[in-house]
Amino acid sequence: MTGGGGPRLSQATLEALPGEVGRPAYDRSALRTGIVHLGIGAFHRAHQAVYTDDVLAAGDHAWAIRGASLRSPDMRDALAPQDGLYALDVRDADREELRVIGSILDVLVAPEHPEALLSAMSDPGVRIVSLTVTEKGYCHRPADGELDETHPDIVHDLAHPGAPRSAPGFIVEALRRRRVAGDAPFTVLSCDNLPANGRTAQRVLSRLAALRDPELGRFVQNELACPCTMVDRIVPATTDADRARVTGLLGVEDRWPVLAEPFSQWVIEDHFPSGRPDWAAAGATFAPDVEPFELMKLRLLNASHSTMAYLGCLAGYGTVSEAVADPDLARLVRDLMDEEVTPTLPHLPGFDLEGYKDSLMARFRNPALRHLTAQIAMDGSQKLPQRLLGPARDRLRAGASIDRIAIAVAAWIRYVSGPDEQGRAIAVRDPLAEDLAKRARAAGSDAARLCDAVLGVRAVFGDDLPSEPRFRGPVEAALRSLLSLGSAATVRAAVQARGPA
Ligand code: CS2
């Protein structure tokens, strides 16, 4: 991380910013906290915080955000000297726009002071607790979406409910406190890439609450609102080069700006018994049923991302725009979307699905974002079920083929068992990394044995897929090809087998 030592972006230096840089068009000292956000990473700051910034600018001052980090103090350390301010740098091939976001008041660091976070969440003025804690933050079993009661953080939180570690642990304890105090529950707003994310959150929370106290479990199950959302914006991790560039453009140092593409979408189920901001005025969509949008986004955008990430990492492509510049890989991804995913999607009347897929391909090509394949490749065990295995199950149920899905799944197996095609170790970042590595070591490089070993991870593949020959067969064939011919040749053969476009 750079630390230039020059003046910092802050409330005091806002006025000196160059005229073209956007900034909060409201009096920040008049804001009231309405939202506590768990998981204050780049995605939240480039997405929900921006919609909320618009709401505040429109004059509704009741919805400022207190952020919380459930792990490291880095974000607090970067933003505290900046009064919570940071720049959003929106980039594509031919434009770059900078805007300073003011909706986040401060950042709490949960492990340093769990009580401070619990008391922030128990404030009756807080009406929404939103989350971007990534898939693994729900402490669920990815294959069936149920709470993993053996998860170390859940075990900890049941033993120490007043000083939790996990997001579910904090939420359940804060809800309990509000109930005791006679305050209405907040609404829990999941903004993670999970299928039916609100329902997943509620399932996990009611189970955890019930393990603490059956009565609390019933309360969470019956009274807690957990609307589903579909969130979309491509937000690569900020690099030191980005920090230096933004600092140069602002004229003051921003220790942690966020970069994003121009596109942004937020579809929200409208169920907020305690009230909500008018995010629609900022471009969000409130819909009675979000699931069709979530499925479409997870299975088209995120599944393509994961496919490019594993095949791309193996082939030596560092970024998504490099991966999609390979015509064979681009063809494979588009075929995956058109032939194997689209038939599994619910019909969205009046929605231009072809246009949506075209726009995804264009977004993947955005050369101004260095979106690392290694970033997307992480936590595959938590991502595969909703991105690739859900569509695979739907296809198999319909008696249809899954050849491209199988290549993507095999690429993940190949990736987590390393080394890469140049013989270098792959740094697999995944909560199951150790188990996966152990299985891979025991299986060696024989495709059939490796396939069986990794498909045996029930938390990912469930009880059905490993024993389904129409799944296992194509996955093993693709893995054999990846092991013997490599990623590029496997992709080329798949595309050629299909015939000319
Ligand atoms: C990506 C997502 O890292 C990943 O797994 O697929 O973060 C993706 O960029 C966002 O969901 C886009 O909205």
Side-chain angles (χ1 to χ4, degrees), residues 267-281:
V267 187
I268 312 165
E269 190 183 337
D270 200 359
H271 179 45
F272 292 80
S274 303
R276 60 157 171 85
D278 184 12
W279 282 312

Side-chain angles (χ1 to χ4, degrees), residues 43 135 193 231-235 297 301-302 305-306 363 371 375-376 383 387:
F43 184 75
E135 296 85 348
N193 286 316
V231 291
D232 190 8
R233 188 166 220 182
I234 293 176
V235 182
K297 190 254 168 176
L301 188 155
N302 296 111
H305 254 173
S306 292
R363 291 168 62 196
H371 196 192
Q375 182 187 340
I376 300 167
K383 293 175 175 173
R387 297 182 180 201

